[in-house]
Amino acid sequence: MAPVSRGFGARRRETNDRLPPGQYLTTDFPVLSAGPTPRLDTVEWRFAIRDERGESRSWTWDEFHALPFEDIHTDIHCVTRWSKLDTRWRGVSVDTLMAGIETDAEAAMAHCYGGYTTNVPIADLLGGKAWVVTEFDGAPIDPEHGGPARLLVPHLNFWKSAKWVRGLSLLRRDEPGFWEQNGYNMHGDPWREERYW
Ligand SMILES: Nc1nc2c(c(=O)[nH]1)N[C@H]1C(S)=C(S)[C@@H](COP(=O)(O)O)O[C@H]1N2
Ligand SMILES: [Mo]
């Protein structure tokens, strides 16, 4: 009945409860990019949402920073099986960005500087589940990790968290993005092991 090993066991269970099936923990932050890292000037940066009727609204860097920012403390899970616990981000919730946009869309396509795309159901973007983030660990996000801004949808596998995001286009019907056309799951819930088709 050594209290030390009881405590250790309890902590391990707690951590394991946060690890989806088939995932392992990592403490570093791997970089996974399908192409080169775009170098973006925030003066030129825009973020736009286009609804399914083709109407759009967009924010400059300064306009974006006039929106309410939130601190996000979350675990992230990559389909290549690493999970990282307790990551800290800062950004604007998609709820805030979508406020005032009337839509019946089923899904959104995230578009990125550099050409990457990924599709996410609207239900997974609203309700405090997704953000456009500009800070990681109290500093601007490194370009390799998606700076100046990336989408963060931490309850889905990390390929849905589009780096260098430049906008969302709202889709009446869900469509596959870059990895989804190449065999990745349309939804990507790590807890259901939604990895590939
Ligand atoms: N624009 C863009 N976003 C992207 C990717 C990419 O190649 N391009 N890779 C995705 C994948 S597969 C993963 S696992 C995460 C990796 O993010 P990280 O490099 O910050 O770890 O970004 C996702 N977002
Ligand atoms: Mo990934």
Side-chain angles (χ1 to χ4, degrees):
M1 276 298 238
V4 169
S5 65
R6 272 220 320 268
F8 180 67
R11 260 197 311 280
R12 271 189 58 133
R13 259 194 311 282
E14 206 176 275
T15 298
N16 287 342
D17 285 348
R18 292 165 63 181
L19 203 55
Q23 296 290 115
Y24 67 87
L25 280 181
T26 186
T27 49
D28 56 329
F29 196 172
V31 171
L32 285 117
S33 303
T37 295
R39 302 285 157 167
L40 304 168
D41 186 343
T42 54
V43 173
E44 318 270 294
W45 182 90
R46 297 286 183 280
F47 182 82
I49 299 181
R50 199 184 65 210
D51 69 20
E52 65 272 35
R53 288 169 297 277
E55 280 176 46
S56 43
R57 72 151 308 187
S58 79
W59 293 264
T60 64
W61 189 252
D62 287 346
E63 288 165 348
F64 187 83
H65 282 79
L67 298 170
F69 271 61
E70 298 176 9
D71 291 299
I72 305 113
H73 173 193
T74 189
D75 301 342
I76 54 179
H77 311 287
C78 176
V79 74
T80 61
R81 299 188 183 268
W82 55 266
S83 290
K84 186 173 170 61
L85 304 184
D86 298 310
T87 63
R88 291 173 190 279
W89 308 83
R90 215 170 136 69
V92 176
S93 79
V94 175
D95 298 282
T96 297
L97 297 164
M98 291 279 291
I101 295 179
E102 284 274 326
T103 184
D104 297 315
E106 178 178 285
M109 190 68 77
H111 297 269
C112 301
Y113 292 100
Y116 183 86
T117 55
T118 187
N119 57 304
V120 185
I122 290 288
D124 290 279
L125 289 174
L126 299 178
K129 292 185 189 152
W131 296 265
V132 173
V133 291
T134 59
E135 285 180 32
F136 172 75
D137 241 354
I141 300 173
D142 284 343
E144 290 74 17
H145 288 296
R150 78 182 293 167
L151 190 63
L152 179 68
V153 195
H155 73 289
L156 298 181
N157 278 323
F158 210 38
W159 85 80
K160 301 288 188 182
S161 292
K163 303 196 280 191
W164 318 295
V165 71
R166 64 175 175 83
L168 299 174
S169 59
L170 308 182
L171 306 172
R172 269 196 194 91
R173 296 241 186 293
D174 201 4
E175 288 170 24
F178 174 76
W179 281 121
E180 293 82 4
Q181 290 174 38
N182 288 282
Y184 281 29
N185 195 270
M186 291 291 273
H187 186 224
D189 182 341
W191 293 96
R192 295 181 177 178
E193 291 207 74
E194 293 173 344
R195 299 175 191 277
Y196 311 103
W197 292 348

